[in-house]
């Protein structure tokens, strides 16, 4: 007996399969057309901005004084990331930071203006750093002065 090979005949597609195939072709062409027209509507054209990183640096403490005879000023500094504090020229002084709060004593012929600097871990948070006048002594006599009229501000 002799066998002959006959290729299998393809069954005609059911109406359900034909509708599915037409729907697939339509969706693929719709997506391809949307991509060709300017990208996917859910993906932005510009990448998101990079995350903000903290930039450390110095902030300046400015003093407003009502007296011209100040010889020493003690300041307290507080805020996030306070690392160190020191007097600025022409003044002498000593600063210390403990548990995130700083204290500095500035001596000399103290006048209104910049008298100290504070190092912080993030200068963008400078609005959260505060300074206050704790004590003032008169030049020559070292008598303590009344604190009314004194003000310390932190500027970037």
């Amino acid at each position: 007996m002799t066998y002959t090979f006959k290729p299998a005949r393809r069954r005609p597609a059911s109406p359900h399969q034909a509708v599915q195939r037409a729907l697939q072709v339509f969706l693929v062409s719709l997506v391809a057309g949307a991509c060709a027209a300017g990208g996917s509507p859910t993906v932005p054209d510009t990448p998101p901005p990079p995350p903000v990183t903290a930039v450390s640096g110095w902030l300046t403490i400015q003093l407003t004084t009502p007296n011209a005879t100040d010889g020493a000023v003690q300041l307290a500094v507080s805020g996030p990331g306070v690392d160190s504090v020191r007097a600025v020229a022409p003044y002498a002084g000593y600063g210390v930071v403990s548990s995130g709060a700083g204290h500095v004593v500035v001596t000399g012929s103290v006048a209104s203006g910049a008298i100290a600097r504070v190092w912080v871990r993030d200068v963008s948070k400078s609005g959260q750093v505060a300074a206050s006048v704790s004590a003032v002594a008169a030049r020559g006599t070292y008598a303590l002065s009344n604190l009314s009229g004194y003000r310390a501000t932190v500027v970037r």
Side-chain angles (χ1 to χ4, degrees), residues 47-155:
V52 177
T53 57
V55 176
S56 57
W58 289 105
L59 301 175
T60 302
I61 301 172
Q62 292 183 335
L63 176 72
T64 302
T65 174
N67 297 324
T69 60
D70 297 329
V73 177
Q74 180 182 1
L75 302 167
V77 182
S78 63
V82 171
D83 186 73
S84 62
V85 62
R86 69 177 186 191
V88 297
Y91 305 114
Y94 178 76
V96 64
V97 174
S98 177
S99 301
H103 300 276
V104 63
V105 175
V106 178
T107 61
S109 294
V110 179
S112 292
I115 64 167
R117 297 181 84 188
V118 59
W119 181 265
V120 293
R121 291 188 199 105
D122 189 358
V123 293
S124 69
K125 296 180 180 178
S126 63
Q128 299 174 21
V129 179
S132 60
V133 179
S134 303
V136 177
R139 193 171 42 246
T141 64
Y142 303 107
L144 292 178
S145 300
N146 184 339
L147 297 181
S148 65
Y150 287 90
R151 189 179 72 182
T153 56
V154 178
V155 295

